[in-house]
């Protein structure tokens, strides 16, 4: 995590409608829905309630009664990667999906209506990284950020930034800001001058078993304590907690292998 992130108040920021292109939701598809709820409930203090069932069993995670993320169950015969997927806001999912195709991406699911909640599509960029598009109706997306247990940042980890950054810039209208260091292949994605996501080119160090992917960062009160709890709950540490310019951060995986990062913001 290299790019500066948007600010969030210490007591949380409650969101209304998200501007187009803004990451507005994160969702995870797993094989064991009940076990996954137990893991994240114990880790982040989430509670759960049923959500739209268009793609199968699905629950929304709540923190203090406000929605923060979604978890769905994969069909038994589908051997898809278990991964956190960010959804990017759109005023018209169908038009955005058309732009994805025109710019070399793929639309794998949808566009389709998710009951009264909104309209969605699941896509992949030209490098193969999966992301969602969300057009809000009754469901506005992540309702709170800036407190432990909420999404803090989304970052695309890929081979190189130049080609794929042009894709996202064209589809979603982002402004690009390259990293100040010539030794770092990093592009910040901005909307109206505000950082909303990042792209990190890591070349051949990209995990071969994973390929290009979006990484979601979740805020925690204490990164070292979170890592200890993750291991105790059956998860795995991929990169131990370490200090960064934006706080103490660790990269981990849940018991089914979904990768995510935890970050302890400096106070």
């Amino acid at each position: 995590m290299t790019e500066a992130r948007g600010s969030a108040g210490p007591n949380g920021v409650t969101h209304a409608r998200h501007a187009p292109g803004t990451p507005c939701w994160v969702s995870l598809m797993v094989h064991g829905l009940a076990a996954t709820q137990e893991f994240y409930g114990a880790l982040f203090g989430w509670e759960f309630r049923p959500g739209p069932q268009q793609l199968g069993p699905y629950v929304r995670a709540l923190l203090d009664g406000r929605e923060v993320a979604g978890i769905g169950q994969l069909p038994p015969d589908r051997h898809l990667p278990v991964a956190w997927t960010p959804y990017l806001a759109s005023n018209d999912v169908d038009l955005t999906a058309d732009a994805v195709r025109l710019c070399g991406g793929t639309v794998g699911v949808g566009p389709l209506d998710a009951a009264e909640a909104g309209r969605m599509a699941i896509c992949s960029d030209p490098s193969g990284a999966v992301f969602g598009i969300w057009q809000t109706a009754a469901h506005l997306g992540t309702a709170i950020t800036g407190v432990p247990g909420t999404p803090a940042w989304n970052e695309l980890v890929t081979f190189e930034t130049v080609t794929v950054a042009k894709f996202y810039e064209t589809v979603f209208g982002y402004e690009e800001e390259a990293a100040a260091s010539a030794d770092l292949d990093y592009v910040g994605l901005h909307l109206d001058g505000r950082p909303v996501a990042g792209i990190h080119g890591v070349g051949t160090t990209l995990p071969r078993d994973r390929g290009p992917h979006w990484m979601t960062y979740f805020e925690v009160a204490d990164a070292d304590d979170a890592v200890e709890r993750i291991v105790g709950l059956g998860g795995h540490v991929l990169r131990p907690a370490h200090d960064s310019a934006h706080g103490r951060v660790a990269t981990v995986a849940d018991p089914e292998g979904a990768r995510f990062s935890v970050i302890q913001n400096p106070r």
Side-chain angles (χ1 to χ4, degrees):
M1 176 191 240
T2 306
E3 179 58 71
R5 302 193 328 276
S7 61
N11 296 318
V13 174
T14 301
H15 296 281
R17 184 179 296 268
H18 295 262
T22 305
C24 62
W25 187 245
V26 288
S27 192
L28 173 65
M29 298 297 290
V30 298
H31 297 287
L33 184 56
T36 300
Q37 290 179 73
E38 290 180 9
F39 173 85
Y40 287 101
L43 177 60
F44 293 136
W46 290 350
E47 297 177 339
F48 300 91
R49 70 180 178 200
Q53 309 290 306
Q54 272 72 10
L55 300 179
Y58 188 84
V59 297
R60 290 180 180 151
L62 287 79
L63 188 66
D64 295 330
R66 289 177 283 187
E67 296 174 345
V68 294
I71 303 175
Q73 183 166 316
L74 288 165
D77 59 340
R78 298 293 296 275
H79 300 287
L80 299 173
V82 176
W84 280 102
T85 300
Y87 281 72
L88 308 176
S90 170
N91 286 335
D92 190 322
V93 162
D94 295 78
L95 285 178
T96 304
D98 287 342
V100 167
R101 296 187 189 96
L102 287 171
C103 293
T106 302
V107 180
V109 177
L112 55 83
D113 290 325
E116 77 289 346
R119 190 163 173 81
M120 59 162 286
I122 300 175
C123 310
S124 57
D125 67 28
S127 75
V130 176
F131 64 95
I133 310 170
W134 182 255
Q135 178 182 340
T136 187
H139 174 59
L140 296 176
T142 301
I144 181 175
T145 58
V147 295
T150 62
W153 184 247
N154 289 281
E155 187 167 281
L156 175 61
V157 183
T158 189
F159 292 107
E160 53 82 27
T161 63
V162 174
T163 304
V164 75
K166 291 298 181 187
F167 167 84
Y168 286 99
E169 178 186 351
T170 303
V171 174
F172 292 102
Y174 297 126
E175 307 130 16
E176 296 182 25
E177 182 174 299
S181 171
D183 298 327
L184 183 65
D185 186 14
Y186 193 96
V187 171
L189 301 178
H190 293 229
L191 289 171
D192 297 324
R194 177 177 59 93
V196 296
I199 303 176
H200 190 187
V202 298
T204 57
T205 64
L206 190 72
R208 292 189 177 186
D209 63 335
R210 189 64 185 87
H213 60 280
W214 280 91
M215 174 73 72
T216 297
Y217 289 72
F218 291 96
E219 184 165 338
V220 293
D222 187 310
D224 295 273
D225 176 67
V227 167
E228 187 175 330
R229 282 186 285 131
I230 286 163
V231 172
L233 293 166
H236 310 280
V237 179
L238 304 176
R239 188 179 182 192
H242 59 280
D243 293 324
S244 75
H246 303 288
R248 193 157 176 81
V249 63
T251 303
V252 297
D254 69 19
E256 284 204 24
R259 302 177 186 219
F260 61 100
S261 292
V262 293
I263 183 165
Q264 172 188 338
N265 283 334
R267 298 300 185 192

